[in-house]
Amino acid sequence: SRRSGNPAALRSILSHASKEGSLLGEPPTMCFNGDFHFFDFPPAVFTLIHNIVLNYDALAGNVELALAGEEYEGCGCDYPPYAGSAVAERADAIVRKLRSKPENVEMAKKYENLPTQRLYEVGGLRVGVLHGDFKSVSGWSLSAEQVLGGGGSGGLREFLGIAGSKDYVTDLDELDGQMQEANLDVLLSSHTCLPFGLRLPSGRLVVNNGSAGIPNFDTRLSSLVTRVSTTPFHDRDAVLYSATAGDGVHIEAVEVAYDVDVWEELFERMWPEGSEAYIGYADRIGEGVEFWDVERAGRSLRR
């Protein structure tokens, strides 16, 4: 999951995991898939998230790598041109703010030793987790608009102004080949912050978790984690879309409901009106993502 520095969402994720552990008789393995810091520049909030996340499997995303570097060379988000220069400039300013606190930079030295990929085996399936794509920790070829670019994006490319372009379309045969070469049945990513799932013609599954820290859909002020297990999730109402693979392995997009009022109050204290994060993210945090919904995110996974 990509969490972006939301303590309220983190509490909810830990609560889910505790309930899951009680039901299954052992704690679930949790992987925080990079960029678990972003909005949390106050050292008290940064420390809270740092101390909890490093108790689990954690991957370094571009934000963690930018924080760990001796010299600041930008946020490393590598936004594609269609995202616009203002988006990239705001992200850079946010990460620069994180680095402005010496305590954060000192803690971030540990991120130099974090992996950027992990491999799990679940029910006989090989599940690969990476932050960006096969080529880069900040790659965009596993974004919804690029993977679904050949069809099925449901108006997303129109919204982004690239509907008529042959650029920024992921070659699915090449992606399938990359997964075959890595001997992966399931590939999980998160960097691009918009969720979707896709079942390739070979049967391999590609899932982008979007964000576990801020809303991903038009009518849901909640976030998302991806769950892979040999048993279905106990709260079926929280499963927004899902697929099965192999011998009954469940790949599920599980809604993370958190205290929206608490999170909005903290966010606005950290990033008041007019700040870079407020300009870039307040609408998404308070209203959701107007151009994306659960049905479009999950339709290509169920095929």
Side-chain angles (χ1 to χ4, degrees):
S1 62
R2 179 186 191 275
R3 211 184 42 70
S4 303
N6 176 351
L10 179 55
R11 283 192 289 271
S12 183
I13 291 168
L14 295 176
S15 177
H16 273 311
S18 177
K19 178 72 176 292
E20 183 103 331
S22 297
L23 291 172
L24 299 180
E26 60 180 353
T29 298
M30 289 201 295
C31 178
F32 290 89
N33 190 8
D35 289 6
F36 41 87
H37 295 295
F38 194 54
F39 299 125
D40 52 326
F41 78 86
V45 185
F46 189 101
T47 301
L48 171 69
I49 290 171
H50 170 91
N51 288 341
I52 292 176
V53 167
L54 292 193
N55 285 321
Y56 302 94
D57 292 351
L59 301 186
N62 54 281
V63 171
E64 285 74 40
L65 295 177
L67 291 171
E70 288 293 330
E71 300 293 332
Y72 183 57
E73 299 178 357
C75 69
C77 300
D78 287 348
Y79 285 103
Y82 57 80
S85 59
V87 172
E89 289 167 3
R90 284 195 293 266
D92 182 68
I94 291 168
V95 178
R96 192 180 297 276
K97 183 86 168 179
L98 282 167
R99 281 187 61 101
S100 71
K101 305 297 181 180
E103 305 98 311
N104 298 349
V105 174
E106 183 62 29
M107 280 183 280
K109 291 178 180 179
K110 291 188 175 182
Y111 304 152
E112 292 180 320
N113 299 319
L114 290 180
T116 57
Q117 302 177 1
R118 279 193 179 269
L119 175 66
Y120 299 92
E121 291 196 13
V122 182
L125 296 186
R126 287 170 57 88
V127 180
V129 184
L130 45 74
H131 182 71
D133 59 25
F134 279 109
K135 296 180 180 178
S136 169
V137 72
S138 55
W140 280 74
S141 70
L142 295 180
S143 65
E145 65 272 17
Q146 294 191 26
V147 171
L148 304 178
S153 67
L156 177 57
R157 289 176 65 86
E158 286 80 359
F159 182 87
L160 295 171
I162 54 174
S165 174
K166 295 182 179 178
D167 297 326
Y168 313 115
V169 176
T170 298
D171 185 325
L172 297 186
D173 289 335
E174 180 181 350
L175 175 57
D176 198 33
Q178 290 172 322
M179 291 184 66
Q180 182 177 21
E181 184 177 351
N183 193 21
L184 295 178
D185 301 294
V186 181
L187 177 63
L188 307 180
S189 179
S190 64
H191 170 62
T192 58
C193 218
L194 199 66
F196 75 92
L198 173 68
R199 187 186 296 272
L200 293 164
S202 65
R204 296 183 178 91
L205 300 180
V206 180
V207 178
N208 190 314
N209 185 75
S211 177
I214 56 176
N216 294 280
F217 302 116
D218 55 354
T219 59
R220 294 176 181 270
L221 298 186
S222 55
S223 57
L224 199 66
V225 294
T226 301
R227 179 181 182 271
V228 183
S229 178
T230 56
T231 61
F233 190 57
H234 61 271
D235 182 359
R236 301 311 297 164
D237 290 338
V239 178
L240 301 185
Y241 49 89
S242 64
T244 57
D247 189 17
V249 175
H250 300 264
I251 297 91
E252 300 166 315
V254 177
E255 184 173 29
V256 176
Y258 53 81
D259 192 320
V260 175
D261 292 337
V262 167
W263 169 228
E264 286 188 342
E265 181 183 354
L266 175 60
F267 176 79
E268 291 180 11
R269 284 209 312 269
M270 295 189 295
W271 299 97
E273 187 172 356
S275 65
E276 295 86 351
Y278 188 96
I279 293 169
Y281 292 92
D283 285 347
R284 179 167 178 168
I285 289 170
E287 300 175 14
V289 180
E290 63 174 320
F291 54 84
W292 202 234
D293 57 48
V294 170
E295 195 280 327
R296 284 183 289 176
R299 68 167 64 148
S300 297
L301 184 66
R302 293 186 289 263
R303 291 175 181 169

